[in-house]
Amino acid sequence: QVQLVESGGGLVQPGGSLRLSCAASGFLFYNTIGWFRQAPGKEREGVSCLSSSDGSTYYADSVKGRFTISRDNAKNTVYLQMNSLKPEDTAVYYCAVGGGCSGSLVNYWGQGTQVTVSS
C-alpha cells in the first residue's frame, strides 16, 4: 500500500521559513517525487520535483531561489525547505509521486499539509 505522509506545515510570518517532510512507503520505484500546492480558488500547481533517475530538480518560477527540494534515501523521505515565505505561498501542500511534475502525471497523492503565511 502506497503511503505519502506530509508534515511540517503551519503558520509563519512573511519572510520566515518552514521545512516540509514527506515520508514515503509502499513502493520500490518511482520516476518523480515532489511537491504541489493548491491555494483557495486556484488550481493545483507543481512547486518542486525531484527525478529519481538523475536527481534533476524542477522549481516553479514563483519559488526559485527560495525553496529547495532534497531527499534522504535512508529514511525514504523528501523535504521541501521553504525560505523567504510570502503570503502568496499560502496553500495546502501535497506530496506526490508519478511520472513528472504535472498533476496529470501523478499516480499517488499525500493528504496535504496547510501552510499559512501571514502576519
Side-chain angles (χ1 to χ4, degrees):
Q1 180 181 358
V2 175
Q3 280 194 314
L4 301 170
V5 181
E6 303 101 330
S7 61
L11 173 64
V12 63
Q13 292 186 341
S17 298
L18 282 175
R19 188 178 78 157
L20 305 182
S21 300
C22 172
S25 62
F27 54 89
L28 296 177
F29 302 104
Y30 59 83
N31 187 355
T32 301
I33 188 166
W35 295 91
F36 291 70
R37 69 185 180 187
Q38 187 165 21
K42 295 188 177 181
E43 292 188 356
R44 195 172 297 189
E45 63 171 347
V47 175
S48 180
C49 294
L50 181 65
S51 169
S52 64
S53 59
D54 60 7
S56 60
T57 56
Y58 161 84
Y59 294 96
D61 288 343
S62 58
V63 307
K64 282 180 181 177
R66 300 188 298 122
F67 291 10
T68 303
I69 191 169
S70 62
R71 64 182 171 185
D72 184 332
N73 290 331
K75 296 182 178 179
N76 290 329
T77 299
V78 174
Y79 304 97
L80 185 68
Q81 178 67 42
M82 306 186 295
N83 298 329
S84 302
L85 283 161
K86 305 175 181 180
E88 51 263 43
D89 294 317
T90 295
V92 178
Y93 283 70
Y94 298 89
C95 181
V97 169
C101 209
S102 170
S104 62
L105 299 175
V106 171
N107 299 120
Y108 301 100
W109 295 97
Q111 83 286 354
T113 184
Q114 176 70 47
V115 171
T116 302
V117 184
S118 175
S119 55

